[in-house]
Amino acid sequence: MGELKARLASRNPGKARELEHLLPSWTIEPLAAEDYPPENGATYYDNARGKALFGRALAREDEWVIGEDSGIEVEALDGGPGVRSARSGGTDPAGWLLGELSGVEGRGARYVSELVVVSPSGEEFRGTGTLEGRIGGEARGTEGFGFDPIFIPKGRDQTVAELGNEWKRDNSHRANAARELLAALREPR
Ligand code: IMP
């Protein structure tokens, strides 16, 4: 694929930079929108697609549009908070989750990211990615956001917040979703 201009339907400019790194030759700017639709779909895919289609209506005709939704799924919470992650834990999601898991078995966890891209002609592509791991016993590290200070990826001893943003850029659930998305875009249509 050649040079491609895209708008990300998200308020998070960090995500746009992260995706730009993962999608070489794409220029990705966040789409300024006052009223994003509420993220109350039943799945990450519903929410990601909702954001992308909302963005489609606002973006220029020659621009691609990207919607992303993500969350964390914890074994002891039967896969929760999952699609409701952004609304769980208030200003201290890591502290909230540690409290929920206090004295409980089942610290296995995974991050999930869903990306939906809509082309200028309205064609849709998707990519899903996960990062498997477990919830540690205490918050450690300063980088990343949300649950990163307590999320320890499989095969590692450090939390994502300790491994840092550079590690995250290439190894996160979003990185894995972007790889799957690139593969989908390269498939002959
Ligand atoms: P979104 O921005 O609507 O996709 O919300 C995702 C929510 O899931 C965030 O508010 C976090 O609670 C959690 N989450 C998703 N990705 C990450 C991550 O990379 N690190 C930490 N928390 C994450």
Side-chain angles (χ1 to χ4, degrees):
M1 267 189 127
E3 293 284 314
L4 192 148
K5 268 196 176 154
R7 306 297 293 274
L8 178 69
S10 164
R11 292 187 192 86
N12 187 338
K15 278 189 188 173
R17 297 286 83 81
E18 212 176 299
L19 287 169
E20 239 174 17
H21 172 77
L22 297 161
L23 301 168
S25 80
W26 287 42
T27 313
I28 303 174
E29 290 304 323
L31 191 63
E34 290 305 309
D35 298 300
Y36 277 104
E39 292 177 24
N40 53 13
T43 63
Y44 305 106
Y45 174 68
D46 288 345
N47 284 337
R49 183 167 184 265
K51 288 181 214 178
L53 294 178
F54 181 83
R56 178 74 275 156
L58 300 176
R60 286 195 353 218
E61 263 175 39
D62 62 337
E63 290 172 329
W64 289 58
V65 182
I66 308 171
E68 196 262 356
D69 196 49
S70 50
I72 191 169
E73 301 180 348
V74 183
E75 200 182 338
L77 304 180
D78 292 328
V83 75
R84 296 181 311 281
S85 296
R87 284 161 279 153
S88 302
T91 54
D92 181 18
W96 167 78
L97 185 52
L98 285 179
E100 291 290 307
L101 297 183
S102 151
V104 179
E105 295 280 310
R107 302 185 85 88
R110 68 148 79 101
Y111 279 130
V112 182
S113 165
E114 184 80 54
L115 284 169
V116 173
V117 166
V118 183
S119 77
S121 66
E123 253 188 303
E124 295 182 23
F125 304 86
R126 73 186 274 192
T128 308
T130 61
L131 177 65
E132 302 288 336
R134 65 193 160 87
I135 305 302
E138 64 194 355
R140 295 195 315 247
T142 54
E143 297 199 24
F145 67 96
F147 301 97
D148 289 341
I150 56 172
F151 189 94
I152 303 171
K154 202 169 176 177
R156 297 281 179 162
D157 297 319
Q158 291 175 297
T159 66
V160 171
E162 290 176 309
L163 290 164
N165 293 331
E166 219 165 293
W167 181 90
K168 211 176 158 182
R169 255 183 5 182
D170 289 316
N171 297 282
S172 73
H173 42 313
R174 258 180 296 286
N176 292 329
R179 285 185 196 108
E180 205 181 281
L181 174 69
L182 275 180
L185 285 161
R186 286 189 184 124
E187 265 173 33
R189 302 190 280 284

